Amino acid sequence: NYHISSKNEGIRKALPNGFRLLKDKNESEFYCNLDSDVLVNPNFIKILYHLWQDIFTKINRYDFILTGFNTINHPFIKKINNYYGKKKHIGGINIFFHKSQFNNVLKQWDTKEIDWKLSSDYYSKGGIYCTYLSIIEHIGNIGLNSNNDNYDKAIDYISN
């Protein structure tokens, strides 16, 4: 299913609206977003799901977010294991979260700070986790918060 808006709502409104449309049609256990200008490892959903399960087993709480996009612009603050670590903030290019966090993710996203507000909120809760090896690669260099001189690019994208 898809939805086409009559106007460009921008990512601040489009992402929450898209998630709401998805939830209305079929509530999933997990939600995941991707920017439109990315390459992905063919197993990225499976990898994120298994890492989410591992994190949940360790911290026994749902209020965390996970991303498969590792960029130097958002450094690690703590190594957890050989597969993922914690960050203080991430961009919004890819976020994977449990359905219990649906309303909070949308609430934090629907602000002027978008992903910065989301990062701030989850940093103070269960945390922000990121794969060490990127399974998402950003190929766009011009966008809302990027230009030719400064844009997020994966440190070490693995395509398979």
Side-chain angles (χ1 to χ4, degrees), residues 11 59 127:
I11 191 65
I59 68 172

Side-chain angles (χ1 to χ4, degrees), residues 40-55 66-68 83-84 96 131-136 158-160:
V40 297
N41 177 295
N43 296 311
F44 83 98
I45 292 287
K46 185 185 292 186
I47 293 167
L48 290 173
Y49 173 77
H50 287 295
L51 293 179
W52 188 97
Q53 294 288 341
D54 189 69
I55 296 164
L66 172 63
T67 183
Y83 304 104
Y84 61 86
F96 188 87
T131 58
Y132 281 122
L133 298 176
S134 294
I135 53 176
I136 312 290
I158 54 169
S159 59
N160 55 21

Side-chain angles (χ1 to χ4, degrees), residues 121-139:
D121 183 62
Y122 278 93
Y123 175 71
S124 66
K125 291 182 177 176
I128 302 167
Y129 296 84
C130 179
T131 58
Y132 281 122
L133 298 176
S134 294
I135 53 176
I136 312 290
E137 172 62 295
H138 189 209
I139 59 173

Side-chain angles (χ1 to χ4, degrees), residues 9 12 15 18 20 27 31 42-43 51 60-62 73 83 91 93 108 120 123 125 132 134 138 156-158:
E9 298 174 316
R12 181 175 158 215
L15 184 114
R20 285 185 194 101
E27 183 167 324
Y31 291 89
N43 296 311
L51 293 179
N60 197 31
R61 52 193 297 181
Y62 291 99
N73 292 341
Y83 304 104
I93 192 168
Q108 301 308 321
S120 175
Y123 175 71
K125 291 182 177 176
Y132 281 122
S134 294
H138 189 209
D156 48 13
Y157 173 65
I158 54 169

Side-chain angles (χ1 to χ4, degrees), residues 98-113:
H98 187 264
K99 67 181 180 182
S100 64
Q101 300 306 299
F102 186 89
N103 290 332
N104 189 57
V105 167
L106 269 56
K107 175 183 164 192
Q108 301 308 321
W109 191 272
D110 196 16
T111 65
K112 287 184 180 179
E113 294 88 17

Side-chain angles (χ1 to χ4, degrees), residues 56 59 80 94 128:
F56 180 77
I59 68 172
I80 304 298
N94 168 238
I128 302 167

Side-chain angles (χ1 to χ4, degrees), residues 136-158:
I136 312 290
E137 172 62 295
H138 189 209
I139 59 173
N141 59 344
I142 302 291
L144 181 64
N145 294 308
S146 59
N147 57 55
N148 281 322
D149 298 324
N150 181 29
Y151 70 99
D152 284 344
K153 184 160 179 54
I155 296 171
D156 48 13
Y157 173 65
I158 54 169

